[in-house]
Amino acid sequence: MYRRKLKALGHHHPESFDVHNDQEFRNLVVWLEDQNIRLYKIEDRGEIRDVKSSEWLKTFRKYLDDLKCPVDLSQKVSVVDWLLAHAVRVEYAENAEKYNNVGQMDQSNQTEGLGESSLDDSLMNLTVDNPDLKAGVTSLSRLFSLPQHPDHFVLLQAVRSLIEGKLSSLASKTDKKSDKKADIIPLHKVDLGFDTGDSAVNEAAKIIRLLHVTELRELQTRINEAIVAVQAITANPKTDQSLGRVGV
Amino acid sequence: MAHHRTFKEECSFIDRLDDNSFLIKKGFVPNMKVEGIFYINDSLEKLMFDELKNWAGTQGIGGFLPGVKQIANVAALPGIVGRSVGLPDVHSGYGFAIGNMAAFDMSLPEAVVSPGGVGFDINCGVRLLRTNLDEKDVQPVKEQLAQSLFDHIPVGVGSKGVIPMGAKDLEEALTMGMDWSLREGYAWAEDKEHCEEYGRMLQADVDKVSPRAKKRGLPQLGTLGAGNHYAEIQVVDEIYNMYAAKKMGIDHPGQVCVMIHSGSRGLGHQVATDALVSMERAMKRDTIDVNDRQLACARINSQEGQDYLKSMAGAANYAWVNRSSMTFLTRQAFGKVFKSAPDDLDMHVIYDVSHNIAKIEEHVSFVYQGAI
């Protein structure tokens, strides 16, 4: 499941890496730290490099803390995924220009056949009840600290709206555009207008209403954009001062 | 009436509910279907009762009908539901008191619509524009700015506007309301959101607006009119609710705003006059009894009632186009004086509120409001 990230980072056997093999796992951690992450100075990497040590797990736990990894070590699979993603981020941040150029060249040269070659079989043949998909959605939702839901489709939608709203490049762009920070109104200062008799339900109702208002606002903004586009064609406001006459 | 009541006798029909409201009980005027209520502060309370006292002193002969009597007369109109309400700007008006609000149940065949309830200046209202200017930016150029506004927005009785309009433009404006202003580029896309009814009443029918009304309205678009109408440059004095104010783009005392108070000019007046004439006939035909001739009305479901609502909606649309045109001209005037685009001056509409209008609202009732 880490094949792409491992390959991207230049791992020597991305196809056969087995996260449940403890030795491979420990070696990978050391390799990532040495090659990409480089959180510690070389002379301070002694303990983490000592993969045979009985204290290694303790060292690793501290390492994750130092990295501010949000995933708990009990979820080893997710931790590895996070480490790999972090390494990719570091690698990209250091060589952004290089990779951006490659991306552009790729786009111009390889638009053909992209569909088949880059989407591997596992994605092409993905079905809704695929257990891998379920597991993936569940671990994603844990990463985002979303409450669990029995229907992984509902969870996936929640993950999607969270990413769209908070993490996508578009969202971060609009955040920057409105350069002043959004005003934060404490929930208890929001007026619900009615009382359900249950404070938790009241709060939920307030949240739903605020979300609803936000959605309406987005819709109205899109409508306004459409109106502005039409105005570019139809609008021709005129004034003629000679018509004006002041009354008595 | 057999005998005229004394002021004291009249007052026996009016109960104080609390510090700020009074109830008008049935029997205060004949045929009251519901009770009346009005809201006051100390000075308004004195005014209301002085009006009644003077009127009672003249035994009801001569002088104008006091506001309390008018609220009660409205409570006697066929089809009224709830109460006849006098809002806190209440005083004597035409038929209805100014600030008199009433709802009618459209499912009742006898329910009426009365042009007096809407008023002669159909869809008269106030609109507030904000700017990102501060009082100190405006002080040094006050004279130029005022002059620029006068140049763009002609005022007074018989004034004519600077926006060229043909007969076809006017018909479209009456039909489309602010959508016309948008299409022609006199309004910003966001403006509509801040208006009641999104600046357009859909039931407008230009064919129900008389040629005379159209003729009066044609040259007047983009003019303020006279009387209590105004376009004012105002300064924010005090902010009571910071969250709400910020949402409206008001964030500090001293911020400069522009308020425009105007309506449907001669066109609306003519629509109301035309309706009153046709309704007098309808009242005779349908034997509708009212306490005051000024309360001329017609059944909502009669031809006259429907025609009035359609022409009123056209006049309401005219008023929104008028305020939008003046918004456009205000933005131009500011743009010229401050040598920047109205966009950069952040000249958005904060609100546009109508106070002379009849609307069909949910619960299938029928609501008038009249104020100022």
Side-chain angles (χ1 to χ4, degrees):
Chain A
M1 68 178 283
Y2 309 116
R3 194 175 53 85
R4 286 154 180 278
K5 291 194 183 89
L6 286 170
K7 207 169 156 189
L9 292 166
H11 193 257
H12 45 282
H13 53 94
E15 310 287 343
S16 58
F17 173 76
D18 177 12
V19 67
H20 300 296
N21 178 325
D22 212 44
Q23 199 192 332
E24 275 195 51
F25 162 65
R26 292 184 184 198
N27 284 336
L28 179 76
V29 171
V30 176
W31 182 77
L32 285 175
E33 169 63 9
D34 280 345
Q35 293 295 313
N36 298 97
I37 300 178
R38 294 193 282 266
L39 178 68
Y40 298 149
K41 290 189 191 128
I42 295 180
E43 56 269 29
D44 297 335
R45 287 183 201 155
E47 285 184 39
I48 194 109
R49 273 180 176 165
D50 186 7
V51 293
K52 300 248 166 23
S53 157
S54 57
E55 295 289 297
W56 190 84
L57 269 181
K58 212 172 130 197
T59 313
F60 183 57
R61 209 178 286 272
K62 182 178 177 302
Y63 178 70
L64 290 181
D65 278 349
D66 292 343
L67 267 178
K68 301 193 169 52
C69 171
V71 194
D72 189 80
L73 188 51
S74 60
Q75 299 174 38
K76 195 166 147 192
V77 177
S78 302
V79 168
V80 170
D81 192 53
W82 186 86
L83 274 178
L84 286 167
H86 185 70
V88 171
R89 273 195 296 276
V90 171
E91 172 66 20
Y92 176 74
E94 280 173 7
N95 300 295
E97 209 168 301
K98 181 177 134 202
Y99 290 118
N100 286 350
N101 287 339
V102 172
Q104 277 162 10
M105 272 166 56
D106 269 6
Q107 267 178 4
S108 49
N109 295 340
Q110 306 187 352
T111 34
E112 266 177 55
L114 191 84
E116 287 131 51
S117 65
S118 66
L119 281 180
D120 61 59
D121 291 349
S122 62
L123 259 182
M124 293 291 281
N125 299 327
L126 201 62
T127 54
V128 269
D129 45 7
N130 184 313
D132 278 352
L133 178 70
K134 277 186 190 169
V137 170
T138 311
S139 65
L140 254 183
S141 66
R142 276 203 200 108
L143 273 175
F144 288 129
S145 334
L146 286 170
Q148 295 302 309
H149 190 281
D151 186 345
H152 66 291
F153 237 58
V154 174
L155 262 183
L156 187 59
Q157 280 172 340
V159 169
R160 195 197 69 171
S161 49
L162 190 106
I163 293 175
E164 268 181 3
K166 301 277 180 207
L167 306 170
S168 69
S169 57
L170 199 71
S172 57
K173 239 183 246 165
T174 46
D175 266 5
K176 272 175 207 151
K177 228 189 266 171
S178 59
D179 45 37
K180 49 189 166 181
K181 270 193 196 157
D183 280 321
I184 293 167
I185 305 176
L187 199 58
H188 68 266
K189 289 213 172 177
V190 177
D191 189 22
L192 182 59
F194 58 88
D195 187 14
T196 62
D198 180 331
S199 65
V201 178
N202 281 351
E203 284 212 344
K206 282 181 191 176
I207 292 167
I208 290 170
R209 173 177 290 169
L210 289 173
L211 288 171
H212 176 63
V213 168
T214 309
E215 259 180 27
L216 282 182
R217 179 62 259 171
E218 277 162 17
L219 175 66
Q220 184 66 54
T221 303
R222 291 215 296 278
I223 291 170
N224 288 351
E225 282 165 2
I227 292 175
V228 170
V230 174
Q231 274 186 320
I233 303 164
T234 62
N236 183 22
K238 289 186 282 271
T239 53
D240 180 352
Q241 292 295 332
S242 71
L243 292 173
R245 201 177 85 194
V246 176
V248 285
Chain B
M1 266 184 275
H3 90 287
H4 285 284
R5 296 180 194 137
T6 63
F7 176 58
K8 208 181 155 197
E9 284 169 333
E10 295 283 17
C11 287
S12 68
F13 289 91
I14 304 176
D15 280 355
R16 179 185 282 279
L17 291 177
D18 53 42
D19 283 353
N20 298 106
S21 62
F22 284 94
L23 188 78
I24 307 171
K25 291 187 288 191
K26 288 185 186 177
F28 184 58
V29 301
N31 293 324
M32 281 175 75
K33 316 280 188 293
V34 297
E35 294 171 315
I37 187 172
F38 61 100
Y39 299 90
I40 38 80
N41 59 12
D42 291 342
S43 58
L44 198 56
E45 177 181 335
K46 189 173 175 317
L47 179 97
M48 292 296 282
F49 284 95
D50 281 351
E51 274 183 3
L52 183 63
K53 197 173 186 175
N54 287 336
W55 185 81
T58 61
Q59 297 292 295
I61 302 156
F64 55 81
L65 208 54
V68 270
K69 284 284 176 188
Q70 292 187 319
I71 295 170
N73 284 338
V74 167
L77 286 174
I80 188 168
V81 289
R83 283 169 174 167
S84 172
V85 183
L87 296 170
D89 60 339
V90 62
H91 56 281
S92 184
Y94 182 90
F96 278 62
I98 307 292
N100 198 170
M101 194 183 83
F104 294 81
D105 184 344
M106 288 180 73
S107 66
L108 300 173
E110 72 269 23
V112 293
V113 54
S114 168
V118 173
F120 280 89
D121 193 359
I122 293 167
N123 191 12
C124 183
V126 286
R127 171 179 286 214
L128 185 65
L129 311 179
R130 69 174 189 240
T131 73
N132 55 13
L133 297 164
D134 208 79
E135 190 177 0
K136 64 177 187 299
D137 303 320
V138 172
Q139 258 334 321
V141 291
K142 222 161 71 174
E143 302 291 322
Q144 292 101 298
L145 194 58
Q147 190 53 52
S148 183
L149 277 175
F150 272 117
D151 292 344
H152 284 79
I153 306 176
V155 297
V157 176
S159 52
K160 292 183 176 177
V162 298
I163 292 177
M165 293 284 284
K168 188 169 159 279
D169 298 318
L170 182 71
E171 300 227 322
E172 289 175 350
L174 290 177
T175 310
M176 296 169 65
M178 270 180 75
D179 286 337
W180 182 85
S181 305
L182 272 179
R183 190 187 72 187
E184 299 299 318
Y186 293 108
W188 293 352
E190 305 83 23
D191 293 354
K192 254 176 77 115
E193 294 170 38
H194 303 279
C195 299
E196 275 186 69
E197 307 280 302
Y198 284 83
R200 175 181 190 171
M201 285 187 121
L202 291 169
Q203 70 268 43
D205 183 349
V206 279
D207 294 335
K208 303 294 182 193
V209 178
S210 69
R212 187 167 159 69
K214 289 176 194 161
K215 198 177 162 206
R216 286 180 71 176
L218 187 59
Q220 292 182 328
L221 203 65
T223 62
L224 260 182
N228 61 355
H229 292 159
Y230 57 79
E232 272 181 1
I233 299 167
Q234 303 181 335
V235 175
V236 175
D237 227 16
E238 196 180 340
I239 295 174
Y240 294 95
N241 182 335
M242 201 60 196
Y243 293 126
K246 264 194 184 164
K247 278 281 166 221
M248 298 177 198
I250 300 282
D251 56 9
H252 65 283
Q255 193 171 342
V256 171
C257 294
V258 181
M259 186 175 269
I260 298 169
H261 175 206
S262 185
S264 49
R265 309 287 288 107
L267 184 138
H269 194 280
Q270 191 61 45
V271 165
T273 310
D274 293 342
L276 287 174
V277 172
S278 74
M279 284 186 183
E280 272 190 37
R281 284 195 302 269
M283 285 174 74
K284 266 188 209 135
R285 183 193 62 212
D286 298 336
T287 56
I288 302 171
D289 260 341
V290 293
N291 291 339
D292 179 358
R293 257 198 86 219
Q294 292 184 348
L295 286 173
C297 57
R299 289 184 176 154
I300 295 173
N301 298 316
S302 68
Q303 186 66 46
E304 290 82 2
Q306 287 298 308
D307 285 356
Y308 171 65
L309 287 176
K310 287 170 184 165
S311 57
M312 183 213 70
N317 286 344
Y318 179 93
W320 278 309
V321 171
N322 191 32
R323 286 199 285 278
S324 296
S325 302
M326 283 188 278
T327 303
F328 170 77
L329 296 166
T330 304
R331 284 169 178 160
Q332 282 209 325
F334 269 72
K336 275 181 199 161
V337 171
F338 292 98
K339 298 186 178 54
S340 53
D343 260 335
D344 296 329
L345 294 171
D346 195 34
M347 295 186 71
H348 283 280
V349 173
I350 293 181
Y351 63 71
D352 181 298
V353 185
S354 319
H355 46 239
N356 284 359
I357 203 153
K359 283 197 221 171
I360 297 168
E361 297 199 339
E362 56 181 315
H363 335 297
V364 219
S365 60
F366 194 78
V367 177
Y368 299 97
Q369 42 191 107
I372 301 185

